[in-house]
Amino acid sequence: MATLANIAVIIFEILGLRISIASRGWKIFAFYTQVSNLITLASSVAFLVAGPAAAPLRYLSSCMLTMTFLVTLFVLVPMGGGFNQLMLSGNGLYHHTLCPLVSVASYVLWEAHSGSWLVPVAVTTVYGLTMLYLNYRRIFDGPYPFFRVHNQSVTASVVWTLVLIVAIAAISLGMSRIAR
């Protein structure tokens, strides 16, 4: 079952990536959604090639995709992104909904498990701090409202950063417990 799920994930990732590249070009790398989905594409290919040896990469991608799904659903949609737009259309259908659901289900239910909970936290923290810095320097705007440091107080930026780091830590610890 895991093989079929990972083949489906690869197909969904490619379909979503085509839409993302067409609309954003190189700027896709500024989006956590795209980073998490590119890691998932690599992890699903690695799973098909290397089997259980890909477990640490599959763990990383599962944690990051869960973060993508939850932030989209519980932060970005309520902030005005629109459920249909972010979850059911365009690249969002693939990268916010189908890939997270299928890939994480496959990892949790049918695949070998391994990986340090600190890796998703470190990757997410480096990404977040990089985007905060780029926003602070006005090199990049967003791509998410909580990175727009010039549009919110310092306190709001610190709180958002801490909340997101705690969220990925909880997801990573939870994933390691669920997948045992």
Side-chain angles (χ1 to χ4, degrees):
M1 198 65 165
T3 299
L4 292 176
N6 277 277
I7 290 169
V9 167
I10 291 167
I11 292 167
F12 294 155
E13 290 291 1
I14 291 169
L15 292 171
L17 191 58
R18 288 182 61 213
I19 296 167
S20 295
I21 291 171
S23 65
R24 296 187 181 116
W26 68 270
K27 290 182 181 179
I28 65 168
F29 295 105
F31 289 81
Y32 187 86
T33 293
Q34 302 305 316
V35 173
S36 66
N37 277 277
L38 287 167
I39 290 171
T40 298
L41 176 59
S43 77
S44 288
V45 170
F47 176 83
L48 294 180
V49 172
L57 190 56
R58 293 287 299 137
Y59 171 74
L60 172 62
S61 79
S62 294
C63 293
M64 291 180 72
L65 280 184
T66 300
M67 180 78 159
T68 294
F69 179 83
L70 294 175
V71 168
T72 302
L73 190 60
F74 295 112
V75 177
L76 300 177
V77 167
M79 287 180 122
F83 182 83
N84 286 339
Q85 180 182 349
L86 291 177
M87 303 298 287
L88 301 176
S89 65
N91 77 302
L93 172 64
Y94 301 104
H95 290 160
H96 293 152
T97 305
L98 293 176
C99 291
L101 294 176
V102 175
S103 187
V104 172
S106 179
Y107 176 74
V108 169
L109 298 173
W110 304 304
E111 298 176 28
H113 306 118
S114 71
S116 168
W117 73 273
L118 291 172
V119 174
V121 175
V123 170
T124 301
T125 301
V126 168
Y127 164 81
L129 293 177
T130 300
M131 293 311 300
L132 284 170
Y133 175 77
L134 292 174
N135 274 261
Y136 174 75
R137 298 289 306 215
R138 297 185 192 272
I139 296 169
F140 204 88
D141 182 39
Y144 303 109
F146 40 82
F147 288 146
R148 293 188 169 112
V149 296
H150 298 289
N151 297 350
Q152 62 191 9
S153 68
V154 172
T155 302
S157 295
V158 170
V159 168
W160 272 116
T161 301
L162 292 175
V163 166
L164 293 170
I165 291 170
V166 168
I168 191 62
I171 290 165
S172 298
L173 288 167
M175 189 72 66
S176 67
R177 297 224 192 290
I178 290 170
R180 285 186 183 182

